[in-house]
Amino acid sequence: MRKRLAALLSILVAVVLTLAACSGGGSKSEDGGKGGVKSEKSENVLNLASTSDIPTMDSSLATDQVSFFTFNQTLEGLYVLDKDDKPVPGVAKEDPKKSEDGKTWTIKLRDNAKWSNGDPVTAHDFVYAWQRTVDPDTAAEYAYMFENIENAKDITAGKKKPEELGVKAVDDQTLEIKLVKDVPWMQSLFAFGSFMPQNEKFVEKQGKKFGTTADATLSNGPFQLEQWKTEDNWKLVPNKEYWDKDKVKLKEVNYKVVKETQTALNMYQTGKLDSVVLDPQNVNKYKDKKDFSTELTSSNYLFRINNTQNKDLKNKDL
């Protein structure tokens, strides 16, 4: 058991140690293009690596880290989390107005929020997306995240219709949400990827293709997906329709799917990547470099065990 625990700890260390360069767009830095000092000729282009492709850009179906990380850049919910993980207005323009018992929330939306195709983001986009997610026909794994909303549990169980979910568009800029009980963390939960809005007209037009290609994806966040080559790369560019676009300074963000850590490190050293995650065996080699930093993160892991097909695992006393 001791050896297995040590192996797991090594994996966690590899996740949180990063070697990050500040140079952008492959421009030369003062140390010969191998990272560390930002060039005055930076093109405001960020080049990053991902260990896997984006499984889906459909916020109803996503359950993985890469998809949700991309949602954080391309989609915006009612609220977003600030640097201290506190919810601040996103599409919502203010904090919710709550009923006396705390179970009915009324949220006003900003009137200048738009999709990347120019359509306004409205309360109807949230109603449509949430109803679609809890609909059993969608088969969303994260439908249970909505169980604090009235009737959600009965809808996912097939006992009620999606239209009976406790969410209503009072008008284009007013969303009413009925909760089962007052939940202190609900405002923060509205920043989670599963609660992102969806443009009904666009989603229905794309059908099963929705969220599978750049053209079949719509954004309402600071960036939009311009290019997506499966299992190879994807590119984000600023969303010109984003309501707070003046704060977006990067011209583009390029992601390259690189599954091998050493390959990514080689790309970093040759100026093709601006940041790389180190595995344990490389930590001692680079820990004294000025571009080395340690980032502490928290994670949890889920093991699914097939206890229906394996005769030994069927034994609850194993």
Side-chain angles (χ1 to χ4, degrees), residues 134-146:
V134 299
D135 189 338
D137 289 342
T138 303
E141 286 191 53
Y142 278 7
Y144 72 89
M145 301 285 288
F146 291 77

Side-chain angles (χ1 to χ4, degrees), residues 141-197:
E141 286 191 53
Y142 278 7
Y144 72 89
M145 301 285 288
F146 291 77
E147 290 184 359
N148 289 324
I149 299 178
E150 192 176 84
N151 294 332
K153 201 168 185 178
D154 285 338
I155 295 169
T156 56
K159 298 177 181 179
K160 291 187 177 181
K161 298 179 179 180
E163 294 77 16
E164 297 180 79
L165 183 67
V167 59
K168 180 176 70 174
V170 178
D171 55 46
D172 284 352
Q173 266 70 52
T174 309
L175 188 69
E176 182 184 272
I177 304 165
K178 291 188 176 295
L179 303 178
V180 175
K181 58 182 178 180
D182 187 12
V183 182
W185 61 85
M186 201 69 198
Q187 191 171 344
S188 294
L189 194 60
F190 287 150
F192 187 66
S194 300
F195 289 86
M196 296 298 105

Side-chain angles (χ1 to χ4, degrees), residues 115-240:
W115 292 98
S116 50
N117 66 353
D119 288 352
V121 180
T122 70
H124 302 278
D125 295 327
F126 288 93
V127 173
Y128 171 75
W130 297 3
Q131 288 180 350
R132 180 172 177 264
T133 301
V134 299
D135 189 338
D137 289 342
T138 303
E141 286 191 53
Y142 278 7
Y144 72 89
M145 301 285 288
F146 291 77
E147 290 184 359
N148 289 324
I149 299 178
E150 192 176 84
N151 294 332
K153 201 168 185 178
D154 285 338
I155 295 169
T156 56
K159 298 177 181 179
K160 291 187 177 181
K161 298 179 179 180
E163 294 77 16
E164 297 180 79
L165 183 67
V167 59
K168 180 176 70 174
V170 178
D171 55 46
D172 284 352
Q173 266 70 52
T174 309
L175 188 69
E176 182 184 272
I177 304 165
K178 291 188 176 295
L179 303 178
V180 175
K181 58 182 178 180
D182 187 12
V183 182
W185 61 85
M186 201 69 198
Q187 191 171 344
S188 294
L189 194 60
F190 287 150
F192 187 66
S194 300
F195 289 86
M196 296 298 105
Q198 294 173 8
N199 184 308
E200 180 176 4
K201 182 174 63 175
F202 183 85
V203 174
E204 295 300 322
K205 181 179 179 181
Q206 300 302 322
K208 293 183 179 180
K209 293 182 179 180
F210 174 62
T212 62
T213 67
D215 291 338
T217 300
L218 204 59
S219 303
N220 76 312
F223 291 91
Q224 66 183 80
L225 193 61
E226 182 182 74
Q227 174 184 307
W228 182 7
K229 188 175 181 181
T230 305
E231 291 298 331
D232 187 7
N233 63 75
W234 67 91
K235 178 193 291 187
L236 304 179
V237 296
N239 175 10
K240 295 179 180 179

